[in-house]
Amino acid sequence: AQSVSQHNHHVILSEAASLELGCNYSYGGTVNLFWYVQYPGQHLQLLLKYFSGDPLVKGIKGFEAEFIKSKFSFNLRKPSVQWSDTAEYFCAVNAPGTYKYIFGTGTRLKVLA
Amino acid sequence: KAGVTQTPRYLIKTRGQQVTLSCSPISGHRSVSWYQQTPGQGLQFLFEYFSETQRNKGNFPGRFSGRQFSNSRSEMNVSTLELGDSALYLCASSFVGTGADNEQYFGPGTRLTVT
């Protein structure tokens, strides 16, 4: 069955700490990969996406993610977090050309000022 | 360009009732998808519509249904509401065309509470 696992459900960091959120997927065939963020009281917004090419993808607000095909992983990273990064982060996959996204259960990040 | 809009934003219903939620996609977007978001479960795919046809469906009971109109606006309906249907229902739209990617743009959601 298609699935996405986010192993860290809650993460608490101090400002300037480095961030890495794990995402593993189980999906037969080629995939597109996404990270979305949901700030408190706001819509889900796209942080970054991977369709093909360079497996290291850079997104908005200094976030990046690396697609490792052999590990079925797409981990999100940021070298130095800010208080404003406090939010819930969702990893998602879908098959190219389709609009059915499979989401992980999300990781709540709290950054302490 | 206006974003995805959903109405109503909040809704309280009683068990056994039915409810209809509405979604207006971004202008020019013809694919509309619906998701249920609950704590601990994350976002779960309900269904996707394109050109008034349901193209994909998630693993939800038949009480959950939807439709899409010729102007791409979509509605979802939940009949015989259960307490477990309490959730945030999100709508997402996508542009479908040559060179388009699969990126989905999400609305603010409708918060449904079933008592």
Side-chain angles (χ1 to χ4, degrees), chain B residues 11-17 81-84 86 112-115:
Chain B
L11 207 48
I12 300 175
K13 290 286 189 178
T14 304
R15 268 183 305 175
Q17 288 185 314
L81 283 165
E82 300 176 1
L83 293 178
S86 295
L112 172 65
T113 301
V114 182
T115 62

Side-chain angles (χ1 to χ4, degrees), chain A residues 46-62:
Chain A
L46 182 68
L47 266 181
L48 47 79
K49 59 190 177 187
Y50 172 81
F51 288 168
S52 64
D54 188 344
L56 184 61
V57 179
K58 294 193 185 300
I60 61 171
K61 305 187 180 186

Side-chain angles (χ1 to χ4, degrees), chain A residues 32 36 49 51 98-99 101, chain B residues 37 55 101-104:
Chain A
N32 296 327
Y36 278 84
K49 59 190 177 187
F51 288 168
T98 73
Y99 296 86
Y101 281 31
Chain B
Q37 184 179 9
R55 290 200 299 190
D101 57 35
N102 305 75
E103 183 174 343
Q104 293 192 332

Side-chain angles (χ1 to χ4, degrees), chain A residues 8-28:
Chain A
N8 315 102
H9 298 295
H10 292 90
V11 173
I12 301 175
L13 295 172
S14 298
E15 273 195 317
S18 64
L19 170 72
E20 180 158 3
L21 301 182
C23 172
N24 288 90
Y25 66 92
S26 171
Y27 204 102

Side-chain angles (χ1 to χ4, degrees), chain B residues 11-25:
Chain B
L11 207 48
I12 300 175
K13 290 286 189 178
T14 304
R15 268 183 305 175
Q17 288 185 314
Q18 75 159 16
V19 67
T20 299
L21 312 181
S22 181
C23 171
S24 292

Side-chain angles (χ1 to χ4, degrees), chain B residues 6-65:
Chain B
Q6 292 186 245
T7 56
R9 293 293 310 279
Y10 301 91
L11 207 48
I12 300 175
K13 290 286 189 178
T14 304
R15 268 183 305 175
Q17 288 185 314
Q18 75 159 16
V19 67
T20 299
L21 312 181
S22 181
C23 171
S24 292
I26 291 171
S27 178
H29 286 194
R30 295 192 293 156
S31 168
V32 174
S33 299
W34 288 89
Y35 294 85
Q36 181 194 65
Q37 184 179 9
T38 54
Q41 295 283 331
L43 283 83
Q44 295 185 284
F45 175 80
L46 281 155
F47 25 66
E48 183 241 345
Y49 285 87
F50 174 73
S51 290
E52 302 177 65
T53 300
Q54 187 182 89
R55 290 200 299 190
N56 282 292
K57 191 177 190 306
N59 297 322
F60 278 81
R63 300 186 296 108
F64 291 81
S65 62

Side-chain angles (χ1 to χ4, degrees), chain A residues 35 48 55-59 63-67 74-77:
Chain A
W35 275 97
L48 47 79
L56 184 61
V57 179
K58 294 193 185 300
F63 286 91
E64 65 178 32
E66 185 175 13
F67 171 49
F74 190 56
N75 292 354
L76 181 71
R77 300 194 292 246

